[in-house]
Amino acid sequence: GENVEQHPSTLSVQEGDSAVIKCTYSDSASNYFPWYKQELGKRPQLIIDIRSNVGEKKDQRIAVTLNKTAKHFSLHITETQPEDSAVYFCAARERGSTLGRLYFGRGTQLTVWP
Amino acid sequence: GAVVSQHPSWVICKSGTSVKIECRSLDFQATTMFWYRQFPKQSLMLMATSNEGSKATYEQGVEKDKFLINHASLTLSTLTVTSAHPEDSSFYICSATRTSGQKQYFGPGTRLTVT
C-alpha cells in the first residue's frame, strides 16, 4: 500500500512569515493529493487538493506543488496568521483504487506566533 | 454543501458493552464512507471502507468482528464497537465521498471512552 511521509512534525513561525510542509509518497500510481487542517478536537477540513496532472495550485494564501518525478508535494502558506495554527495532514490516493482510500501523513503541528 | 454529521459526539461506556456510532451525509449522497481512528496527537488511521449495500472492506489489523460496519443507505453508515475495552477508547471519525467525486468530507468525530 501507499506510504506517506510528512515533515516537519512541528513548525513554529512568526505571524506574516511563510510556512512550508512537505510530504513524500511511495506509490507512483497515486493521483490525488489533498491537504487537511485540523484544529484541536475538531474535524479535519479540506483546505486544498491537487491532481497528478497539475503541478501547482493556489487558493489565496495557500498553494500546493506537486513533483511527480520525485514523488513529493508541498503545502505553502504565505502571510501566516495566528488562526492558521492547527495540525495539517497531507494524504495520497491510489489511482485506480475503486475504494478511494486516502493514506495520511503523520501531521504537522503549525504554530503561528503573533 | 457536503456536510457530514456524527452521533453521538461523545460517549462513555463500560467494558464489555457495545456502542454504535452513526455517520450521516446530510446534503449529498455518499457512495462510500470511511471510518478512521485517531489517537491524541496522532494521524488518522483508516479502519475500514464502507460502500452502500455491500460488505465493508477492513484494513489490515482491524478486527471486523469487533468493529461492525453497516452502510444501509446512501446517507448513513454505522460503526458498532462490540465488547468494548479501555484500549478501544479513542476518537472515531467518519468521512464520506459524493457519488461522483473523490473529495472526502469528514464528520466531527465521536470521542469514545471505555471505563
Side-chain angles (χ1 to χ4, degrees):
Chain A
E2 176 67 275
N3 181 43
V4 179
E5 298 285 340
Q6 183 172 346
H7 299 280
S9 56
T10 60
L11 179 60
S12 292
V13 299
Q14 202 73 35
E15 182 178 3
D17 288 349
S18 295
V20 180
I21 303 171
K22 299 182 179 182
C23 288
T24 60
Y25 59 98
S26 61
D27 190 344
S28 58
S30 291
N31 66 345
Y32 173 66
F33 308 92
W35 285 89
Y36 287 86
K37 173 184 179 182
Q38 187 179 30
E39 297 177 15
L40 189 63
K42 296 189 177 181
R43 77 184 80 198
Q45 297 270 17
L46 178 67
I47 57 172
I48 196 167
D49 56 6
I50 191 167
R51 288 174 170 72
S52 58
N53 59 348
V54 177
E56 183 175 357
K57 184 176 178 181
K58 191 174 181 180
D59 182 4
Q60 299 183 343
R61 297 186 297 109
I62 296 173
V64 57
T65 58
L66 171 66
N67 183 325
K68 285 191 298 182
T69 304
K71 290 188 286 187
H72 69 69
F73 56 112
S74 301
L75 177 71
H76 304 252
I77 305 174
T78 58
E79 301 172 32
T80 53
Q81 301 166 1
E83 49 266 39
D84 293 330
S85 297
V87 178
Y88 291 80
F89 293 100
C90 63
R93 177 180 184 258
E94 296 171 324
R95 180 176 61 190
S97 170
T98 56
L99 298 178
R101 287 175 292 189
L102 289 178
Y103 295 90
F104 284 83
R106 290 184 174 272
T108 296
Q109 173 69 62
L110 173 65
T111 303
V112 181
W113 299 101
Chain B
V3 179
V4 178
S5 71
Q6 269 183 255
H7 179 81
S9 55
W10 60 270
V11 57
I12 301 173
C13 71
K14 293 186 175 180
S15 262
T17 61
S18 295
V19 174
K20 180 184 284 188
I21 302 170
E22 291 185 349
C23 177
R24 292 181 186 273
S25 55
L26 298 184
D27 55 357
F28 67 100
Q29 292 187 327
T31 307
T32 306
M33 289 184 170
F34 304 86
W35 287 95
Y36 295 86
R37 185 172 179 176
Q38 187 176 35
F39 290 104
K41 297 188 178 181
Q42 292 193 24
S43 189
L44 297 148
M45 185 193 81
L46 180 64
M47 299 174 66
T49 303
S50 164
N51 287 292
E52 185 262 341
S54 61
K55 289 184 179 180
T57 301
Y58 291 82
E59 294 298 302
Q60 193 171 9
V62 178
E63 298 175 60
K64 61 180 180 181
D65 293 330
K66 179 166 185 62
F67 299 99
L68 300 178
I69 292 172
N70 182 275
H71 193 159
S73 75
L74 284 173
T75 59
L76 173 65
S77 176
T78 60
L79 167 68
T80 302
V81 182
T82 63
S83 188
H85 291 285
E87 55 265 33
D88 297 325
S89 299
S90 189
F91 194 51
Y92 291 88
I93 312 179
C94 70
S95 71
T97 56
R98 293 178 188 273
T99 304
S100 59
Q102 60 185 1
K103 295 179 191 283
Q104 284 191 28
Y105 301 96
F106 283 84
T110 296
R111 174 76 56 193
L112 170 63
T113 302
V114 185
T115 60

